[in-house]
Amino acid sequence: MNMVEYSIRTEDLTKTYEQRILKGYYDPGSMALGSGGHFFYSLWKRLLGKKVVIYALNRVNLAVRRGELVCILGPNGSGKTTLIKILAGLLLPTAGRAWIMGNDVVKDRREVVRAITYIPSFVASIAWANPAATVWTNLQRAGKLFGFSEEEIQEALKLLDIHHLKDRIFGTLSSGQQARVTIALGLLKNARVFLLDEPTMGLSPEASKSIREYLKKMGHEMGATVLYATNIVWEAMDFAERVVFMDDGRIIADGNLRDIIRKLGMPEVVTVEVYNIYFKPENLLREIESFHYSVECVNPGVGWYTIRLEVKDSGEVLSKLLSCLVNMGGKVRRVEVKQPDLVDTFIRLMQKRGVES
């Protein structure tokens, strides 16, 4: 694998924590040890408890090309935040390696910090700013810290369309405007990699969409690489070119949505409303290859039925079904084909993991 092609790469990246568990139930507050109950309980747990290793990340292998927009999607506790923090140099891995722009996140942390902009949730990401100062004053202070000129600050404000906010008090801005000012800092750093951990948490839907649009613009027009972690499915649908599904510290699927759906063998749902049918449609449906079908009789007086099928290829099945219905005198009222989307894929992956575990 050519390291130069990739902004982000991990190799068997693992992060574990040790925890000791005592069998049975213990209530330190009820122990006859007075105020020292909690202390002795902790001591007993450390000495007598069974050691359990918890995997926050378990041999994660990920490669993200330069300029790629990738969304990490998974439930709480799936390992998204741990992965982002290791890549940002905020956590050390237990095993494995990771690189940002070819720099090892452990050995070359200074170069990694220069190459990235790390944005956690909205609440954490604005901690750098003085809410009583203006936007311009806050950015000037950050500029002095990182060595940015006033011309560079002006350019970042124009690029994010917030130049008109520079004299506003930071604390009076909307959440979306504050988040855009924070992203301006990333532009000032000329960051080549953006690591975002649920950055729109606490933002309005309008502000969230605005942030995602700016991130896409940076990826497409400026060649920045964006790794965006979220547990909100529709955010991933709106943002990502590629989705990485995580659960229990592992990557369980990776690719564009169409490829993942094909690998999972997820069905398309065909719905046909037809009338003037005076025979049992089930007899016809048994001859059509499908994962599952159902028939609802809406009005037997006019032979009105609603037919639903889960099929692998809707084009082939629909052509055969409609031809048979029409040849037998049926009048088609409505045809609908529902392709599996990211929500369906996420649910199917979680169900599959539940069965396997």
Side-chain angles (χ1 to χ4, degrees):
M1 183 180 290
N2 186 356
M3 187 80 73
V4 179
E5 295 180 9
Y6 296 91
S7 295
I8 301 169
R9 192 164 78 85
T10 70
E11 186 177 277
D12 293 335
L13 196 63
T14 301
K15 180 65 178 178
T16 61
Y17 297 94
E18 291 185 357
Q19 184 176 4
R20 290 190 177 271
I21 300 176
L22 282 173
K23 291 184 177 180
Y25 174 74
Y26 297 84
D27 182 3
S30 64
M31 291 181 179
L33 297 172
S35 59
H38 288 280
F39 169 77
F40 284 104
Y41 170 73
S42 299
L43 182 61
W44 290 339
K45 187 175 181 180
R46 179 175 291 273
L47 295 177
L48 303 177
K50 180 181 177 182
K51 185 169 72 172
V52 176
V53 177
I54 298 173
Y55 282 84
L57 288 182
N58 194 346
R59 298 176 66 88
V60 169
N61 293 289
L62 177 68
V64 181
R65 294 182 180 276
R66 297 191 179 190
E68 203 171 6
L69 306 178
V70 179
C71 185
I72 304 176
L73 184 63
N76 292 331
S78 60
K80 304 185 303 294
T81 295
T82 302
L83 175 59
I84 292 289
K85 284 187 174 180
I86 290 176
L87 293 174
L90 300 175
L91 277 179
L92 292 176
T94 307
R97 299 182 68 186
W99 297 266
I100 297 288
M101 303 301 296
N103 299 301
D104 189 290
V105 297
V106 176
K107 298 177 182 178
D108 309 315
R109 294 180 70 182
R110 180 170 295 183
E111 287 74 15
V112 168
V113 170
R114 288 173 178 166
I116 68 165
T117 285
Y118 166 66
I119 302 179
S121 67
F122 164 69
V123 175
S125 67
I126 63 170
W128 63 274
N130 178 0
T134 65
V135 169
W136 181 252
T137 299
N138 274 300
L139 289 176
Q140 274 187 318
R141 290 172 179 170
K144 290 178 181 178
L145 180 64
F146 292 107
F148 306 134
S149 67
E150 291 193 358
E151 290 76 14
E152 289 174 312
I153 297 174
Q154 294 274 17
E155 186 62 29
L157 291 173
K158 290 178 182 177
L159 187 62
L160 286 172
D161 195 26
I162 53 174
H163 191 269
H164 62 288
L165 301 176
K166 71 172 189 174
D167 296 323
R168 290 271 302 276
I169 301 298
F170 186 84
T172 66
L173 300 180
S174 69
S175 58
Q177 290 169 334
Q178 290 179 349
R180 283 157 66 183
V181 173
T182 301
I183 292 178
L185 268 183
L187 290 177
L188 285 170
K189 285 182 65 179
N190 194 25
R192 290 168 287 174
V193 178
F194 282 76
L195 304 173
L196 302 105
D197 185 16
E198 301 184 6
T200 61
M201 182 184 296
L203 296 179
S204 67
E206 295 80 9
S208 299
K209 185 173 180 62
S210 174
I211 296 305
R212 290 192 298 274
E213 290 300 322
Y214 280 114
L215 290 171
K216 284 191 283 188
K217 181 178 180 180
M218 283 188 287
H220 294 149
E221 297 183 10
M222 302 178 62
T225 303
V226 181
L227 191 62
Y228 188 107
T230 184
N231 58 7
I232 303 173
V233 176
W234 59 262
E235 272 200 336
M237 292 174 64
D238 181 60
F239 175 76
E241 300 168 345
R242 169 184 164 197
V243 181
V244 176
F245 290 89
M246 290 192 69
D247 188 38
D248 198 26
R250 296 176 181 269
I251 292 176
I252 58 175
D254 180 2
N256 64 58
L257 184 57
R258 186 176 297 276
D259 289 341
I260 293 174
I261 288 172
R262 187 177 65 251
K263 290 177 183 177
L264 289 173
M266 295 183 63
E268 302 174 12
V269 180
V270 174
T271 303
V272 176
E273 282 190 21
V274 61
Y275 68 96
N276 202 41
I277 292 294
Y278 298 101
F279 60 90
K280 289 186 177 181
E282 291 88 342
N283 297 331
L284 170 62
L285 297 177
R286 291 190 186 100
E287 300 176 6
I288 295 178
E289 184 179 351
S290 66
F291 298 108
H292 173 76
Y293 68 82
S294 65
V295 177
E296 177 188 356
C297 183
V298 180
N299 187 338
V302 295
W304 183 358
Y305 289 89
T306 298
I307 300 170
R308 290 187 179 86
L309 303 96
E310 293 184 2
V311 299
K312 184 177 181 179
D313 184 349
S314 61
E316 181 179 341
V317 169
L318 195 56
S319 175
K320 182 177 180 179
L321 175 62
L322 294 178
S323 177
C324 291
L325 289 172
V326 171
N327 289 338
M328 297 175 124
K331 307 294 183 183
V332 178
R333 299 183 75 251
R334 181 174 70 92
V335 176
E336 179 182 305
V337 178
K338 183 180 182 296
Q339 304 285 347
D341 58 18
L342 196 55
V343 176
D344 302 320
T345 307
F346 186 65
I347 293 172
R348 177 63 64 90
L349 282 168
M350 294 300 101
Q351 290 173 340
K352 185 178 179 182
R353 289 285 293 175
V355 170
E356 291 175 351
S357 61

